[in-house]
Amino acid sequence: MKSFRYTLLLSVVLLFSFTCKKEEKQNKVTINKTRTEISAEINRDSIIVYAKKYLGTPYVYASSNPKKGFDCSGFVSYVYSNFGLTLPRSSSGYKNLGTALKPEDFKVGDILVFYGYKDRTAIGHLGIICEANGMHSKFIHASSGKAQQVTITALDTEHYTKRFYKCIDVLSK
């Protein structure tokens, strides 16, 4: 009986050591992937799950620090950086980024780009679609308005419909 236990224990140890080495090799391969390969592997829903961890985080102008707070572009760039994507840190950097999507093509994880509250020539706000339904989609964003925090808002509210500039897909290549 002792030899059986010893053999079983030895088998488990050997199996575990081979499994660890296999996982190590897989991790090394992942490090060398290109942005396009990383983008192809990102599950859009996982972006939203991650973004929702920050619901209620205060709005702080010019911040991308989850311990202090976020502004809209700080929030978007922080969320996507967790998935290996580098996006502009300023909302103005989104004006010429990507190709505008038709509302019927909006998907979870796409980025909504809005004009400024008072200046309709400059980009002033960003959000990430968390429920895709064309111009009735919902998005998660760091709001400097009444909420003053990371929140979820409907795109079809008058405030955002009037300011809507475009929606872009930064994940598909």
Side-chain angles (χ1 to χ4, degrees):
M1 188 69 169
K2 277 187 175 181
S3 70
F4 174 75
R5 286 184 187 163
Y6 178 75
T7 305
L8 181 63
L9 181 62
L10 183 60
S11 298
V12 170
V13 169
L14 285 171
L15 179 64
F16 182 73
S17 68
F18 286 117
T19 303
C20 289
K21 286 180 182 177
K22 184 178 178 183
E23 287 175 7
E24 247 178 56
K25 287 180 183 177
Q26 287 173 342
N27 288 340
K28 287 180 182 173
V29 171
T30 302
I31 292 170
N32 295 322
K33 290 186 178 181
T34 66
R35 178 182 171 160
T36 303
E37 291 168 324
I38 291 169
S39 296
E41 291 179 1
I42 296 173
N43 176 309
R44 290 174 174 274
D45 290 330
S46 64
I47 292 169
I48 303 312
V49 168
Y50 184 75
K52 284 182 176 180
K53 290 180 183 182
Y54 298 99
L55 282 168
T57 300
Y59 177 87
V60 175
Y61 178 74
S63 177
S64 58
N65 183 339
K67 292 179 182 174
K68 293 180 181 178
F70 295 108
D71 67 4
C72 66
S73 58
F75 176 67
V76 170
S77 65
Y78 183 83
V79 168
Y80 281 92
S81 71
N82 182 67
F83 295 90
L85 296 176
T86 302
L87 294 174
R89 178 54 193 86
S90 172
S91 58
S92 64
Y94 290 79
K95 186 165 190 169
N96 299 313
L97 185 67
T99 303
L101 300 172
K102 295 175 187 172
E104 59 268 21
D105 296 330
F106 292 3
K107 296 179 292 304
V108 167
D110 288 342
I111 297 175
L112 294 171
V113 183
F114 299 93
Y115 290 112
Y117 178 64
K118 294 180 181 177
D119 182 358
R120 293 198 41 86
T121 62
I123 301 305
H125 195 61
L126 306 170
I128 304 169
I129 293 182
C130 58
E131 292 178 31
N133 186 17
M135 292 303 288
H136 301 287
S137 297
K138 291 186 179 178
F139 64 103
I140 186 167
H141 60 122
S143 173
S144 62
K146 290 179 185 175
Q148 288 287 307
Q149 63 184 347
V150 174
T151 188
I152 295 174
T153 305
L155 175 58
D156 61 4
T157 60
E158 186 178 359
H159 179 73
Y160 288 104
T161 302
K162 285 182 177 180
R163 296 172 54 199
F164 178 76
Y165 174 60
K166 66 179 177 177
C167 178
I168 58 171
D169 179 354
V170 297
L171 296 172
S172 300
K173 294 291 172 207

